[in-house]
Amino acid sequence: MFFNGMRSRAGGKGGFDVGNARAEREAEKMLLRAREAQEENARLKALDERKHLEAEENSARRKYEEMLAEKRREESLMADEKLKMLVESQTRLQEEASRRAEELATQKAREQLEAERAHMKQEMEELRVQQQRAQRTACEKIEKETRDLLQAELDSRESLWRERDA
């Protein structure tokens, strides 16, 4: 360009126009290249920005997924802990129910035993009363028979004495 311009000046006005047109074309080419370079730079910058945004988005997505996974682990641990507590509670309740059932069974057995003892005591008392009655009845019968025999003996002796006296 410098040489063209020099030649144009040296050659006169016509040469300057030719050199000027050439310089304008080269300037236009340079502007076009600069514009293309700017567009390429803008495109590359936009591409870099897009890659950067995608990387940030991917990073944010990974962090979110990690956070969700951590939350799920925590929830799973909490659920496991709650389940463990429920199982322990159920075990305690079952043990308590079993203990209470044993206590009730023991208490029922005691009550039943006491009822049987009371019943046996009552039966024994009834048997004692019956035995006493039977003994009294037997004694009364023996006494009556003895009185009857004695009376019969007396009557027989009296009758003998009367016959002898008579």
Side-chain angles (χ1 to χ4, degrees), residues 56-69:
E56 283 182 0
E57 182 181 340
N58 288 338
S59 175
R61 186 176 300 120
R62 276 192 303 274
K63 284 180 184 177
Y64 178 72
E65 288 170 357
E66 288 172 2
M67 183 183 71
L68 283 178

Side-chain angles (χ1 to χ4, degrees), residues 95-107:
E95 289 171 354
E96 178 68 18
S98 176
R99 186 182 62 77
R100 286 290 295 149
E102 286 178 19
E103 287 177 1
L104 287 173
T106 304
Q107 184 179 358

Side-chain angles (χ1 to χ4, degrees), residues 54-102:
E54 285 176 356
E56 283 182 0
E57 182 181 340
N58 288 338
S59 175
R61 186 176 300 120
R62 276 192 303 274
K63 284 180 184 177
Y64 178 72
E65 288 170 357
E66 288 172 2
M67 183 183 71
L68 283 178
E70 181 64 26
K71 187 174 181 180
R72 284 187 199 120
R73 279 192 293 273
E74 288 175 2
E75 288 174 351
S76 176
L77 288 174
M78 287 174 59
D80 289 347
E81 189 64 29
K82 283 182 182 177
L83 180 62
K84 182 180 173 184
M85 288 171 54
L86 287 173
V87 167
E88 289 173 355
S89 176
Q90 184 179 12
T91 303
R92 280 193 308 270
L93 289 173
Q94 287 174 341
E95 289 171 354
E96 178 68 18
S98 176
R99 186 182 62 77
R100 286 290 295 149
E102 286 178 19

Side-chain angles (χ1 to χ4, degrees), residues 2 11 23 32 37 40 46 48 51 57 62-63 69 71 84 89 94 97 100-101 119 134 145 147 162 166:
F2 177 73
L32 183 62
E40 182 66 19
D48 283 345
K51 284 183 182 178
E57 182 181 340
R62 276 192 303 274
K63 284 180 184 177
K71 187 174 181 180
K84 182 180 173 184
S89 176
Q94 287 174 341
R100 286 290 295 149
H119 182 69
E145 287 176 0
R147 266 191 308 254
R162 270 189 226 146

Side-chain angles (χ1 to χ4, degrees), residues 9 60 69 76 95 99 109 123 150 153-154:
R9 285 187 192 156
S76 176
E95 289 171 354
R99 186 182 62 77
E123 285 180 351
L150 286 174
E153 181 72 25
L154 274 175

